[in-house]
Every structure is written in C-alpha cells, then in structure tokens.
Amino acid sequence: MLDILVQEENERESGETGPCMEYLLHHKVLETLYTLGKADCPPGMKQQVLVFYTKLLGRIRQPLLPHINVYRPVQKLVRLCGEVLANPTENEEIQFLCIVCAKLKQDPYLVNFFLENKSKSHSFQNNFHGAPGSSQQEILNNDTGQPIPPGSEGEPSRNSEPCNGPESSCDLKPSMLSEDSANHLHQDYNLVNSLLNLTKSPDGRIAVKACEGLMLLVSLPEPAAAKCLTQNTCLCKLLTDRLTALYQALPQSIDPLDIETVEKINWGLDSYSVKEDASAFPGKRALISFLSWFDYCDQLIKEAHRMAATAMAIYVRERFLVEVMETQLMQTSEIGILTATALLHRIVRQVTSDALLEQIVYFLLGEQREPETLPDIHRVPLRHRLIEHCNHISDEISIMTLRLFEHLLQKPNEHVLYNLVLRNLEERNYTEYKPPCQEDRDIVENGQIPGAIDLEEDPLFTDMSPENTLSKEWLSASPPITPEHHKIDGKTEVHKIVNSFLCLVPDEAKSSYQVEGTGYDTYLRDAHRQFREYCAICLRWDWPGTVKAIEKCNLEAPFFEGHFLKVLFDRMGRILDQPYDVNLQVTSVLSKLSLFPHPHTHEYLLDPYVNLAPGCRSLFSVIVRG
C-alpha cells in the first residue's frame, strides 16, 4: 500500500492528490489501522502499523497532517506510545514519535492539532500513564554513561502520583501559571507525555531519541504549545527531579581538581567505561551522569521558546538550586563547602543558555540593584556567604570561590557586574569635588594646573625607569576611540596611569623578563585581546561612554565600595602576607573587573589621580598602603 502511494505521488505533479491517496483519506484507512494496532490483532500488528505510519509521514511529500483523517488517528497512536516500558515495539514507537516531531518542526502551526482539550480533573489520569515506580537507587544503577532522562524510574510513577492539572503533583509555582488556565478546559500535550514515558526506557538509545524529540518540541515557536508544555505537563518537574537525584548520588567529597579536569560533557554522546579510563577517580561515573544531564537541561532551555525557557529555568532555580544546592553551599564543613563550590563553579562554566544563566545569577547574587550599605550586606544570605568565602581561613575554599566569581564575571550577563560593583559607583561619591577657583583656571603651557605635581616629580614615583614606559607601538594598538567614547578633557593619559602602577614594584623585584614568553609585552598582548572580547560582550548593555557629570551626582551620600570590593581590597592589603596562589587569584579577579569598559570602573579602579573623598580607598591606594 505504501509503495503504491509513493509511486502515485512520483507520477503526478507536485501537490496533486491521486485517487489512491484520496481513497486512503476519505475511507479512514488510517483509523482502521490504528484500531488493529491498538488491539495488536493479529499479534505483531501494532509494530507494522507504527512502521507504516512512520514511513507514510516520512516518504510522502505532500502535507498529510492537516487532514482530519490523518491527524486524528496519529493523535490516538501517539497515546499508545510509551505505555509499557521495555515494550518490544519501543524502537518503532520512538521512530514514529520522532517523525511526528520532525513534521511539527517543519510546520509549527500543526502542533495545535496535538493540544487536546480535556476536562481538568481527568487530564493526566487518562493520558499520562507510567510504569510501576522503583527506588531512586535502582535508576542510578541504570547508568550506562548516557544521560538518564527526566521521569526515569527513580521518580514516583505516574499512576501513584497522577498529575491532575497545573496545581497538583506537578507542583508548579503559582507565579508560573496564568489565572485563566486554572478556570478553563485543560489541554493535554500527549506527544510530550509519550516522549517523557520513553525517556525512562532501559535502552539508552531509545532514551536519547526521546530527549531529542523533546528538544524539537520545546523549540516550536507556537506560544500555545509553549504554555501547554510548561503548565500542563510534568516536564519541568521531571527535569529537575532527575537533576536532584543525580546530584544527591554524588559522593560527599570529590577532589576539586577532578571536578575541574573531567572532560567536557555533551549529553547523549558520552559512553563511560571505568575499565578503559586511566584517570578514573571515585565518583567519576556519577559526576559524568550529573554533568551530562545538566548539559541536557541547559541545551533544552537554550533551544526552547522564550516562554518555556523562562519557566523551565525558574523551576530549576527554585527546585534544584535553592532547595538542594544552597543547603550544601551554606554548610560549615570545609570539605563539604569545597566540593559544593567546585560543583557550582563547574555548572557556571558549563551553562550556555541565557535564561538559565540569568536564574543562576539571581540565585547567587539576588536581584537587588540599589547601592549597598554596610548594614545590608546580609540581605542575600548566599551572596554574603560566598563573598565571605573569598576571605575564608581555608586557602583552598578562598581560591575556589574567587575562581567562581572570576568565571561569573566572564559570563554575558550585565547583572553580575552591576550587582557586585557598578551599583555602588553610580553616584561617583568616592570622589571629592572641589569647585575650581579663578587661579586654577589659568592653565600653564604644559597643560598642568598651577601647583600640580607632575608624575616624574612625585616622590612616590622616583624609581621610574625608562624601561617601564609603554612604547608608542602598544599605545597605537589600543582600540580606536568611537564618537560615543571620545576622550574627555582632563582624563589622565593612559601612559601615566600604567606607569603609576608599574613603578609600585621596585625594578629589582621584577622577574618576568627572566623567563621567556612571560615578559611585559606578552602580558600586554594577552590583555589587549581580552579587552576586545569584553568590549564585544558589553556592546549590548548600552553603557555610557563617559562618567556621569559631577554636577548630577549625589556626592553627599556616604560611599561604600560594596561587600565584594571590600573583601578583594582587604585581600590586596595583605598581599605580602598571603600564599602566592591566593595572590594570583585575587589579582586575576581584579584584572577581570578592570577589563570592563565602563567609565566608572575605569575611574575608580584604574585612575591613581582620582581625588578620593575622605575615608574612601581605591585599588591604587590599597596597593600603595600594602
């Protein structure tokens, strides 16, 4: 029958329906086949029907799904898929579901045919069947190195915990649900439900194919499908439950170096064998499974419709980050803190989706954007604890937490820098404004204000040598000045700033020139590349090109550099008394902060000539006093 239909289509002009296809559509042949397949009569008929439907949808070029006598039996057949785990027809079921997903990807509007209106009280009891539940340990033992998908056997079965609408066992937050969805007919998304069932398959290949099908469905641009996906299915819950189960299966203590150096994880592609791994360590298999599943969640959110992505990311934050990880980060055991921070650092490094990154940032730093005050630094307990860990008695914890913040600052999220630093510099109340008198307006020939001390005459910089001066070649290599970022009058010249920092270290203490490839030119070349990368990231944030006019600033407000800079400055003040590794990490974080092309960070962190208000300190003043 399939061969006849394909041959008929090949013999006719594109888009023309032949008599055989018309017969198939008008006489409800697919409906009849579905009935036989459901009864599996004769035995093996279900498998044949699935193969026929798959090939029909895949090989016929003209659009079939919009026909009522096609999409209705397809809908019904979708419900049969995933009913029984380890079913002999599992392979055919997943092939059929994937071809349906592929057709929806081609014509997204067709997804509306698969959103079925149901009475709210019967929604999932009728259509979201599951296999008998098993213990969490049983699922975790079913780890072949493939990411174990949502709703796997370690979670409660759907018969024992049915989802009766958006406010039942899916336990979605009220904020994630619209008011009208609770008062109207409930929509079933059986295609998603069947794929979720098949992600529990003991066959890793079937589970991965089901995950791929879900990836296609979440990316559909139809708002109705995105809304139904997050409100009327257990996708969010099952994703997060699986993430939690895999995290809790990790050993209590893992060497941070092992967490850092484990190879890059791509979900669905890893096949881990302990016997073949020369660098195996206790817990590596569990770690790979967790990171692999996190990568799947990250990619799913990255590909999803904006509405679905936001809902899934919020769910991961509330159900996994807050309920599970925060407890581990707030504990007092040093070994526990180190392992939890190393895992968090790995997650921050690995995340690529904007929606999930935003929720991780809000989880770590809070959503506050108003200037900090010293009494309010405890307002977000986790933020306060992590910043304090940068100054922990354990050097290992300090270094790991500083590395966490360093990578956080490299992520393309404006809130990170604003929350940690910029919100405290907005009013420039770290400066002391002295209105110029008439005498100061008389500029001398060399451009200096009368009475000002030139850099070479400043006794603080008497050890300056000609070798420390930047060559014209490097100065000319700086990024070009754009009309929006023009040089303002009175801005300190770059070479004076650089030389001011260079001559803080006596010549006899400088050693970089002794090792090939570590000299100043090499460093400057790398810094120049990093600065360009940061400029590219920050373009979308619409930052000003010049500092806020001093007349518009509230200089009367008391200045507090913020908890983060306070801890970093305190560390810099003890630079001669700390281990070398700690100093390297502290200066690395400060160098990342200095790379951001914001005029206020440049003025406060990098300009040694800024006129500081009484009681204020800057990076330069801290280094001088150190």
Side-chain angles (χ1 to χ4, degrees):
M1 185 162 59
L2 181 66
D3 290 341
I4 291 171
L5 292 169
V6 171
Q7 183 181 349
E8 179 186 69
E9 185 179 52
N10 291 336
E11 292 173 353
R12 293 181 173 271
E13 294 182 10
S14 177
E16 186 179 346
T17 304
C20 295
M21 181 59 75
E22 287 184 0
Y23 184 90
L24 178 88
L25 297 174
H26 293 160
H27 289 78
K28 301 184 178 180
V29 175
L30 294 180
E31 196 78 47
T32 304
L33 286 174
Y34 159 74
T35 305
L36 294 172
K38 182 180 181 182
D40 200 26
C41 181
M45 191 63 182
K46 180 181 179 182
Q47 188 175 26
Q48 294 302 316
V49 169
L50 285 164
V51 170
F52 177 77
Y53 270 67
T54 302
K55 291 183 176 179
L56 180 71
L57 293 174
R59 293 172 62 181
I60 299 297
R61 294 188 299 274
Q62 60 178 294
L64 293 178
L65 278 177
H67 292 277
I68 189 171
N69 288 332
V70 175
Y71 77 75
R72 276 191 176 173
V74 168
Q75 270 184 346
K76 294 176 183 177
L77 195 57
V78 162
R79 290 189 213 129
L80 293 183
C81 299
E83 281 190 320
V84 181
L85 284 183
N87 196 315
T89 61
E90 257 190 354
N91 190 52
E92 289 74 22
E93 288 175 11
I94 194 61
Q95 295 295 336
F96 165 66
L97 293 175
C98 283
I99 196 68
V100 173
C101 292
K103 289 294 177 183
L104 296 184
K105 186 68 175 175
Q106 290 175 7
D107 298 298
Y109 76 94
L110 294 176
V111 74
N112 293 292
F113 293 135
F114 292 86
L115 306 179
E116 303 175 64
N117 289 330
K118 293 279 184 181
S119 170
K120 186 177 152 189
S121 59
H122 299 291
S123 56
F124 281 91
Q125 286 175 334
N126 295 336
N127 297 299
F128 201 33
H129 304 292
S134 55
S135 70
Q136 184 182 99
Q137 189 57 44
E138 285 173 342
I139 331 183
L140 298 175
N141 290 338
N142 181 30
D143 177 19
T144 60
Q146 299 287 356
I148 303 186
S152 44
E153 295 167 13
E155 295 159 351
S157 73
R158 298 178 208 176
N159 289 330
S160 63
E161 191 182 359
C163 293
N164 294 321
E167 296 176 23
S168 64
S169 66
C170 284
D171 199 22
L172 292 177
K173 292 288 182 184
S175 59
M176 296 165 60
L177 305 171
S178 62
E179 219 171 87
D180 57 342
S181 66
N183 302 323
H184 291 77
L185 287 178
H186 177 86
Q187 284 187 312
D188 268 356
Y189 203 163
N190 287 307
L191 192 53
V192 172
N193 297 338
S194 295
L195 286 169
L196 287 174
N197 270 336
L198 286 172
T199 59
K200 301 186 340 182
S201 171
D203 186 336
R205 293 169 302 171
I206 301 291
V208 169
K209 291 288 286 183
C211 289
E212 290 172 352
L214 288 171
M215 190 83 77
L216 286 174
L217 292 182
V218 299
S219 66
L220 297 179
E222 290 292 307
K227 181 179 178 182
C228 186
L229 184 80
T230 54
Q231 294 185 4
N232 299 339
T233 76
C234 284
L235 176 62
C236 292
K237 179 180 187 298
L238 297 177
L239 283 174
T240 309
D241 284 355
R242 185 65 202 153
L243 202 58
T244 300
L246 290 169
Y247 183 83
Q248 292 174 339
L250 295 171
Q252 291 295 312
S253 174
I254 306 178
D255 188 335
L257 187 61
D258 290 333
I259 296 174
E260 293 298 302
T261 55
V262 72
E263 57 274 10
K264 187 178 185 298
I265 306 298
N266 292 313
W267 75 273
L269 299 179
D270 54 305
S271 52
Y272 177 68
S273 171
V274 178
K275 294 179 181 178
E276 298 173 5
D277 188 2
S279 61
F281 57 84
K284 183 171 184 178
R285 184 173 184 170
L287 178 63
I288 287 177
S289 295
F290 168 72
L291 293 176
S292 178
W293 187 244
F294 178 82
D295 181 62
Y296 176 69
C297 295
D298 181 41
Q299 294 303 317
L300 194 70
I301 293 172
K302 186 176 182 178
E303 296 295 326
H305 182 280
R306 184 176 54 83
M307 184 190 306
T310 302
M312 287 189 285
I314 290 174
Y315 209 95
V316 169
R317 173 188 172 185
E318 294 177 346
R319 294 301 191 204
F320 172 64
L321 296 176
V322 173
E323 294 186 4
V324 180
M325 286 205 75
E326 185 168 355
T327 307
Q328 299 298 311
L329 294 166
M330 297 289 281
Q331 63 182 304
T332 54
S333 163
E334 288 191 4
I335 295 176
I337 292 171
L338 192 59
T339 301
T341 307
L343 286 167
L344 179 62
H345 177 225
R346 181 61 191 251
I347 285 174
V348 168
R349 278 177 48 202
Q350 191 168 314
V351 67
T352 58
S353 65
D354 290 339
L356 186 54
L357 173 61
E358 182 179 69
Q359 294 304 319
I360 290 175
V361 168
Y362 288 159
F363 161 68
L364 295 175
L365 305 179
E367 301 181 36
Q368 292 74 25
R369 293 178 70 85
E370 66 275 7
E372 289 179 81
T373 59
L374 193 56
D376 287 343
I377 60 174
H378 302 272
R379 187 172 175 184
V380 181
L382 180 59
R383 179 185 187 273
H384 176 265
R385 182 68 65 90
L386 287 174
I387 293 175
E388 284 297 313
H389 283 173
C390 295
N391 200 16
H392 199 276
I393 190 173
S394 163
D395 291 336
E396 280 189 292
I397 291 176
S398 294
I399 291 171
M400 182 53 64
T401 312
L402 285 165
R403 294 186 68 190
L404 167 66
F405 279 107
E406 181 182 1
H407 278 94
L408 206 56
L409 287 165
Q410 296 176 59
K411 289 294 178 178
N413 187 288
E414 184 266 353
H415 186 70
V416 177
L417 184 69
Y418 195 90
N419 181 279
L420 290 174
V421 177
L422 282 182
R423 58 173 169 161
N424 303 307
L425 308 181
E426 282 293 308
E427 296 301 324
R428 296 180 65 201
N429 46 351
Y430 48 84
T431 62
E432 184 177 33
Y433 177 58
K434 295 179 179 178
C437 62
Q438 184 59 41
E439 293 179 2
D440 292 337
R441 292 192 178 97
D442 300 325
I443 307 300
V444 294
E445 289 181 3
N446 63 1
Q448 289 279 5
I449 295 176
I453 300 177
D454 193 13
L455 183 67
E456 287 79 3
E457 299 170 3
D458 191 334
L460 183 62
F461 306 112
T462 52
D463 60 345
M464 179 183 294
S465 61
E467 291 78 12
N468 288 332
T469 307
L470 275 176
S471 66
K472 293 182 179 179
E473 177 188 349
W474 282 115
L475 290 175
S476 63
S478 298
I481 298 173
T482 62
E484 295 79 14
H485 298 78
H486 60 278
K487 180 180 177 181
I488 61 168
D489 293 335
K491 183 176 179 181
T492 311
E493 290 88 340
V494 173
H495 74 277
K496 288 191 175 184
I497 292 177
V498 173
N499 285 327
S500 298
F501 279 95
L502 283 177
C503 54
L504 288 176
V505 182
D507 284 342
E508 56 270 17
K510 297 173 184 175
S511 58
S512 62
Y513 66 90
Q514 297 174 2
V515 182
E516 187 178 354
T518 62
Y520 184 69
D521 284 359
T522 304
Y523 162 78
L524 193 57
R525 192 179 294 113
D526 184 57
H528 192 260
R529 176 187 57 79
Q530 290 186 47
F531 180 67
R532 286 192 176 277
E533 290 174 357
Y534 271 69
C535 287
I537 291 173
C538 301
L539 276 177
R540 71 182 86 165
W541 297 341
D542 195 28
W543 278 349
T546 59
V547 293
K548 186 177 179 181
I550 200 74
E551 296 81 9
K552 298 179 181 178
C553 296
N554 179 18
L555 299 180
E556 300 302 318
F559 176 69
F560 175 51
E561 64 253 35
H563 193 197
F564 186 58
L565 282 183
K566 177 183 182 300
V567 169
L568 290 180
F569 285 174
D570 290 346
R571 276 289 194 184
M572 281 300 293
R574 302 196 303 272
I575 196 166
L576 300 179
D577 305 315
Q578 295 172 155
Y580 182 64
D581 289 344
V582 174
N583 289 340
L584 276 181
Q585 197 56 56
V586 172
T587 53
S588 180
V589 174
L590 284 166
S591 69
K592 294 295 185 296
L593 286 174
S594 303
L595 283 170
F596 283 100
H598 193 286
H600 291 171
T601 57
H602 281 183
E603 179 182 52
Y604 181 62
L605 292 177
L606 302 179
D607 189 352
Y609 296 90
V610 66
N611 192 21
L612 290 175
C616 296
R617 57 181 181 169
S618 67
L619 177 59
F620 188 79
S621 70
V622 169
I623 296 174
V624 168
R625 293 189 187 103

